[in-house]
Structure formats: C-alpha cells, structure tokens
C-alpha cells in the first residue's frame, strides 16, 4: 500500500521560506522517532530559506542520523524513504544525485541495500505508483552500479534498466517509427501523425490487461476530443484492433500495428508491460511516459 503522508511533508518542509531557529543536535534516538513515529527531518540552518535550497539540504543531510546499524523495522524505514523521495524532485539534479549516492554508500550490505532498492523499484520504478519517476529511479540504479562491494553480476539488470529508462524521457522528442494504418491501408510515421495531443497506445490485443483497459479508453470523453489523437500500435502481430465491444473505433483513433515488430526488435521504446501508454504534444515531445489512462485523462481535462 502506498504511503500518502509525503504530500503534507513536502508542503510543510518547502512552502515556507522562514528560517528555522537554531537547535541542539538531537541524539540518534530523538532523530529516529517523533510523536508520529516518523524519522525526523534534519534541522535547517537559518541561511537555508528557498524551496530549492531546503530540498538540496535534505538531499544531502537527511540520512545522517538514521539508525542503520539498529536495523529499524520495515514500516519505519519505508516511511522515511517515502518522505525523502517526496522532497527530491524539488532539489537540483546534481545535488539530488549526490544525496542518493551518499545514501547508497551508507547502506549495510546486503539486507538494507536490497531493502532500499526494493523500495526504489516499488515507488519510483512502478508506473502505477503516484511517485513514479524514471529520473529518480535512474539515480538509485546508477548509485547501485557504482558501489564497489556489489558483485558485478548483480549489476546486470540495473544497467539494463538505466539504458532503457533513459529512452523517450519526459520533455524529449519521442523516437520516430513507422507503423501501418489498417484503416487508411498505408504506412505512416509517428512524426507525420498530426494531433494537438497524441496518445501513443502500445498494445497486444491478446494480453488480458489490454483487453480490460481498451473498453475503458474507448469510453473516455477526453480520448474522443477532436484535438486528441489516439494511435493504437499492436507490437506483437500484424493486425489492428478492428473494434471494441463490437463498436467501431472513434474517428480520431488510428488502428495500427508495427510491421515486422521493428519497435521491439530495435528496442526503440522500453515496454516492460502491456499496455504501455505515452502522451505526446503536437511536436511529439513526451508529456507523460509509461503512464495510466487516469493520468492521461487528468492531464487532458486540465489542458483541453
């Protein structure tokens, strides 16, 4: 179950620019436990006032008093981790990476290290997590592969993930590819597909999740808006969807497939599970990556 106290924490920590009062350095016991059984935030120096400065300070100093050697319980550790990664997006990228690298170097091996990497995968690497972030997950994976005490064989999967998570990042131009439009009966390119917003919907009609989600997408008003295009791409077979619940596809939907499965063969996109959805702008820049229908609907409802 995901923890949601991070949102309140981030607001309390970063919204105020008022300097904190100097305080005595708490003991480990005081630092580790508060009235709400949360690991305590580091005391902010009076000179640290802006949200970015405060986030940078947390990135660098958050774990200094954490009782790693006492092997704290999993709930306490998980909440501390969630509170930490809630702040990281507001820090400078360089300071954020330094902070994560410092944390990873502190972790006793292998139990605590594995626990933190599992938490990173769960909260940052899982597309269904409200805290999902490829950039932050890559920071943890990169720090892991740089650890000298970890066997090289254990770094194979993280290295694979780093390479693939860096593809088609938010804000970047989506990689172009050719697809076959079954209704127009011709080959087209992603770059040549016109729409103010384009939902790139990689799917395999035989997969159970795709069968469950396609009717949900079909019923969404935002995905029928004239400013929105929906490009269905079957990555497994040279056939289109054809219809959904015996109903023809909306006019703004393109029923396509990947000829010869070139997208997966050339590893143009990282598609760990199906369906995989992207939201692109009119210039084919990535707005949302490996996202959910709910997230796409929220974004389009706010911007259409």
């Amino acid at each position: 179950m995901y923890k949601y106290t991070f949102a309140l924490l981030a607001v309390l920590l970063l919204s105020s620019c008022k300097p904190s009062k100097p305080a005595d350095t708490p003991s480990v016991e005081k630092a580790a436990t508060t009235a709400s059984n949360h690991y305590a935030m580091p005391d902010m120096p009076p000179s640290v006032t802006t949200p970015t400065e405060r986030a940078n300070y947390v990135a660098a100093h958050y774990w200094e008093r954490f009782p790693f050697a006492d092997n704290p319980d999993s709930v306490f550790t998980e909440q501390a981790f969630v509170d930490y990664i809630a702040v990281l997006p507001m820090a400078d990228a360089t300071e954020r990476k330094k902070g994560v690298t410092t944390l990873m170097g502190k972790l006793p091996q292998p139990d605590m290290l594995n626990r933190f990497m599992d938490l990173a995968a769960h909260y940052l690497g899982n597309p269904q997590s409200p805290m999902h972030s490829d950039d932050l997950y890559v920071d943890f994976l990169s720090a892991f592969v740089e650890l000298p005490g970890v066997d090289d064989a254990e770094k194979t999967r993280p290295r694979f993930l780093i390479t693939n998570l860096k593809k088609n990042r938010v804000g970047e131009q989506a990689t172009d590819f050719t697809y076959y439009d079954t209704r127009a009966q011709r080959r087209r390119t992603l770059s040549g597909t016109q729409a103010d917003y384009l939902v790139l919907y990689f799917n395999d009609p035989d997969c159970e999740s795709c069968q469950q989600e396609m009717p949900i997408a079909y019923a969404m008003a935002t995905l029928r808006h004239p400013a929105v295009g929906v490009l269905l791409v079957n990555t497994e077979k040279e056939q289109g969807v054809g219809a959904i619940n015996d109903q023809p596809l909306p006019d703004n939907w393109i029923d396509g497939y990947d000829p010869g499965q070139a997208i997966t063969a050339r590893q143009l996109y990282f598609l760990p599970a199906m369906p995989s959805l992207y939201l692109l702008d009119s210039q084919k820049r990535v707005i949302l990556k490996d996202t959910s229908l709910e997230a796409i609907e929220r974004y389009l409802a706010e911007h259409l």
Side-chain angles (χ1 to χ4, degrees):
M1 181 178 294
Y2 297 112
K3 305 293 189 294
Y4 289 96
T5 57
F6 62 84
L8 177 60
L9 167 78
V11 171
L12 293 175
L13 173 66
L14 300 176
S15 62
S16 173
C17 293
K18 183 178 179 180
S20 59
K21 295 180 180 179
D24 296 333
T25 302
S27 64
V28 169
E29 291 76 11
K30 183 177 179 182
T33 308
T34 67
S36 57
N37 199 32
H38 288 176
Y39 175 60
M41 279 286 164
D43 298 317
M44 294 286 172
S47 59
V48 177
T49 58
T50 70
T52 300
E53 289 173 342
R54 294 168 75 84
N56 288 346
Y57 191 87
V58 171
H61 299 283
Y62 182 81
W63 299 102
E64 290 178 347
R65 297 175 298 191
F66 192 82
F68 293 108
D70 296 339
N71 192 29
D73 69 72
S74 59
V75 174
F76 179 82
T77 301
E78 182 174 2
Q79 186 62 63
F81 181 86
V82 169
D83 290 348
Y84 180 62
I85 63 174
V87 175
L88 291 184
M90 291 168 268
D92 290 328
T94 300
E95 298 304 315
R96 183 187 75 212
K97 292 175 184 177
K98 287 181 181 178
V100 171
T101 300
T102 299
L103 162 63
M104 297 296 284
K106 289 177 177 288
L107 297 176
Q109 297 184 32
D111 291 346
M112 188 67 75
L113 178 60
N114 291 336
R115 184 188 302 181
F116 271 71
M117 290 307 296
D118 287 344
L119 289 171
H122 180 68
Y123 284 102
L124 301 174
N126 179 4
Q128 301 305 314
S129 166
M131 305 184 80
H132 173 233
S133 170
D134 285 348
D135 289 341
L136 291 182
Y137 193 31
V138 166
D139 287 344
F140 277 87
L141 292 168
S142 298
F144 179 85
V145 301
E146 293 300 323
L147 290 173
V150 176
D151 187 89
D152 200 58
E154 296 184 46
K155 299 178 181 180
T156 301
R157 175 66 177 173
R159 285 177 176 139
F160 169 82
L161 289 173
I162 290 169
T163 298
N164 283 281
L165 290 172
K166 288 183 176 180
K167 296 175 181 177
N168 302 295
R169 301 174 97 162
V170 172
E172 295 181 351
Q173 200 91 13
T175 301
D176 200 14
F177 60 85
T178 299
Y179 65 91
Y180 187 82
D181 183 339
T182 61
R183 291 202 283 193
Q185 296 187 5
R186 64 185 178 91
R187 289 181 179 241
R188 301 175 62 183
T189 62
L190 174 66
S191 60
T193 305
Q194 303 300 312
D196 291 343
Y197 295 101
L198 182 66
V199 177
L200 184 52
Y201 200 131
F202 294 109
N203 72 93
D204 173 5
D206 291 334
C207 87
E208 184 176 349
S209 295
C210 297
Q211 294 171 1
Q212 292 173 346
E213 290 200 14
M214 196 70 72
I216 298 173
Y218 181 85
M220 289 168 54
T222 52
L223 298 194
R224 294 171 176 266
H225 194 282
V228 177
V230 178
L231 171 55
L232 304 177
V233 181
N234 184 346
T235 61
E236 301 301 317
K237 296 180 180 179
E238 295 192 350
Q239 65 182 47
V241 171
I244 299 176
N245 292 341
D246 296 324
Q247 297 297 315
L249 299 181
D251 292 339
N252 63 318
W253 287 35
I254 300 171
D255 192 10
Y257 63 77
D258 174 21
Q261 291 76 57
I263 293 172
T264 50
R266 296 168 57 194
Q267 298 183 352
L268 301 181
Y269 287 75
F270 182 44
L271 305 173
M274 288 293 176
S276 184
L277 287 82
Y278 288 66
L279 179 62
L280 312 180
D281 67 12
S282 61
Q283 303 302 311
K284 307 304 180 291
R285 290 184 294 258
V286 179
I287 299 173
L288 299 174
K289 174 185 176 180
D290 200 12
T291 188
S292 64
L293 287 170
E294 293 78 11
I296 290 174
E297 184 172 40
R298 286 195 300 270
Y299 184 93
L300 292 176
E302 292 174 2
H303 291 84
L304 289 174

